[in-house]
Structure formats: C-alpha cells, structure tokens
Amino acid sequence: MLANPDSRVTIHMVASLDGFIARKDGSVDWLETSDEFAGGDTLDPGFVESFLKTIDCYVMGSRTYETALSFEAKGLGWAYGDKPTFVLTSRDLRRTRDTVEFYSGDLAQFVNGRLRPAFRAIWFVGGGVVSGECLRLGLADEVRYSILPILIGDGISFFENLDSDVPLHLAEVKAYKSGMVALRYEVRKPRTGA
Ligand SMILES: NC(=O)c1ccc[n+]([C@@H]2O[C@H](COP(=O)([O-])OP(=O)(O)OC[C@H]3O[C@@H](n4cnc5c(N)ncnc54)[C@H](OP(=O)(O)O)[C@@H]3O)[C@@H](O)[C@H]2O)c1
C-alpha cells in the first residue's frame, strides 16, 4: 500500500544536554529538573491539551511501555490519553487497555502500510532503540528534541545504533521558563519504502 502523503511521522523525546533519555538502568528520576530561565515561555496547560489532541496515534518500544505501566502503577497516570498506542514487542506483554496494540516485525512495512494510510500525526515516543530504528529505516519526517538543563554522564542515547549520518533542517527553537529548550527538526533524508 502507498504511504499517505499527508501523514507525518514525528519522533519526540526529552533528553539531558548530553543526549540521554534514561540512565543505563532505565531510570528517569533526573527528568524532575529545577531551573528558571527568566526570558523563557510558560507552557500553558490549555495549549498542551489542545496540542495533544492533534496527535493521532503513538508508537513505542516495549521498554518504554513497561516504564509507562510503572508510572501508571505509581499513580502518575497514562500519558497517551485515549489515542491508539502501538507497542513494538516480540514478547507476550500485558495489555492494560483497549487502545494498546502490539506489533512485531518489519517496522517500515508497519509504518508505511498500516499507520500512514490510517493516521496523519504519528508520534514515536521512544525509546532509543525504536527511535534509532525509525531513523535508520528513513521513516521519520520530524524530530522533536526537548533538552532539559542537566547532564547525567551516561545512559540510553536518544538514538541507539545509528549507522549513518542523518541530515536535519532546524525548523523551530523554543526556550521555556523551566530551562527546557524544545528543538524541532525536519529530516532531510529521503523516505524509503514509501
Ligand atoms: N526521556 C524520554 O523522553 C523517554 C521517552 C521514552 C522512553 N524513555 C526511557 O527509555 C528507556 C527505554 O528505551 P530503550 O531504548 O531501552 O527501549 P525501547 O526503544 O523503548 O524498546 C526497545 C524494545 O522494543 C522492542 N522492539 C523494537 N523494535 C521492534 C520491532 N520492530 N518488532 C518487535 N519488537 C521491537 C524490543 O523488545 P522486545 O524484547 O519486547 O521484543 C526492543 O528491545 C526507558 O527507560 C524509558 O523510560 C525516555
């Protein structure tokens, strides 16, 4: 099946300044940074809510799903609302809600054959293995990289196992009062499998 030309695959994660999305053991305690950048914007909850409505589905790796389940178990809620959430895994994982679907296999075929014809705004939300796979296969149109004001020294990289350069076009930069800098890049690399 041909890819829907209106669909857009975005990779979005939050990372430390040194490019890590989690510590080696998977912990993300460091996401709670405290800083103040006087010239920054404030994230308006109303804006965030209406922005999230523009996302049509989420895709994540199994380890990110397991982290999301552990957040939920701690009472921190499910971050993906009622949007279809596709979890990549070869294992038999617990399905906790109707919106979650598991997939195993060829990611390019899944994105171009199944997701692009059905959804416009497709968001890959991690982790590093899946983001790397998405870029390596030339599936991403956009990378949204939010940098927190912290260095953690070691951890899981934003993009694991990239084997070639990925040229980008910087499309947007926003700095927030919290000290977070949100970067949005368009991927210049031509898509494959489309
Ligand atoms: N800072 C942030 O914004 C952010 C965002 C997301 C995640 N995280 C953190 O990142 C860590 C997880 O990242 P990660 O890189 O270790 O793992 P990940 O990308 O979340 O998951 C990788 C796993 O997904 C499965 N998978 C990937 N591609 C597949 C395919 N084509 N078919 C079937 N299964 C596939 C495999 O697991 P199976 O063994 O199940 O097959 C693989 O080991 C967690 O600690 C999480 O908290 C941080």
Side-chain angles (χ1 to χ4, degrees):
M1 200 183 289
L2 284 182
N4 173 0
D6 292 336
S7 66
R8 194 164 178 77
V9 172
T10 296
I11 299 175
H12 175 248
M13 283 193 288
V14 178
S16 62
L17 178 63
D18 43 355
F20 300 115
I21 57 159
R23 297 192 198 278
K24 279 275 182 234
D25 66 1
S27 57
V28 287
D29 52 295
W30 53 274
L31 288 176
E32 297 285 321
T33 51
S34 66
D35 187 21
E36 199 174 325
F37 173 51
D41 288 345
T42 310
L43 257 183
D44 171 43
F47 170 79
V48 174
E49 198 183 324
S50 56
F51 183 80
L52 290 177
K53 284 192 181 136
T54 68
I55 299 172
D56 296 316
C57 72
Y58 294 100
V59 182
M60 66 181 70
S62 62
R63 288 189 219 139
T64 297
Y65 176 64
E66 287 170 315
T67 304
L69 291 187
S70 74
F71 277 9
E72 204 179 13
K74 284 183 206 146
L76 297 171
W78 174 252
Y80 312 99
D82 57 2
K83 298 295 169 73
T85 301
F86 299 95
V87 177
L88 306 175
T89 187
S90 58
R91 292 175 290 149
D92 196 9
L93 292 177
R94 192 162 56 94
R95 185 166 179 246
T96 52
R97 47 183 30 85
D98 290 347
T99 51
V100 168
E101 198 177 302
F102 299 111
Y103 177 82
S104 176
D106 186 327
L107 190 60
Q109 200 179 330
F110 182 59
V111 169
N112 292 325
R114 168 87 194 279
L115 300 184
R116 282 196 187 270
F119 302 101
R120 280 169 72 104
I122 301 161
W123 274 48
F124 274 67
V125 289
V129 168
V130 166
S131 301
E133 199 177 339
C134 183
L135 274 175
R136 235 182 5 260
L137 293 168
L139 300 171
D141 299 299
E142 180 181 84
V143 176
R144 288 178 180 255
Y145 193 135
S146 298
I147 303 173
L148 291 181
I150 190 166
L151 295 160
I152 64 171
D154 196 10
I156 300 170
S157 298
F158 198 114
F159 309 103
E160 292 284 346
N161 310 319
L162 275 188
D163 50 9
S164 59
D165 297 349
V166 180
L168 302 169
H169 164 64
L170 179 64
E172 203 177 328
V173 179
K174 257 192 174 168
Y176 292 93
K177 275 213 159 28
S178 63
M180 181 176 84
V181 179
L183 304 171
R184 184 169 71 82
Y185 295 92
E186 278 156 20
V187 178
R188 286 174 187 254
K189 206 166 112 177
R191 285 184 212 151
T192 56

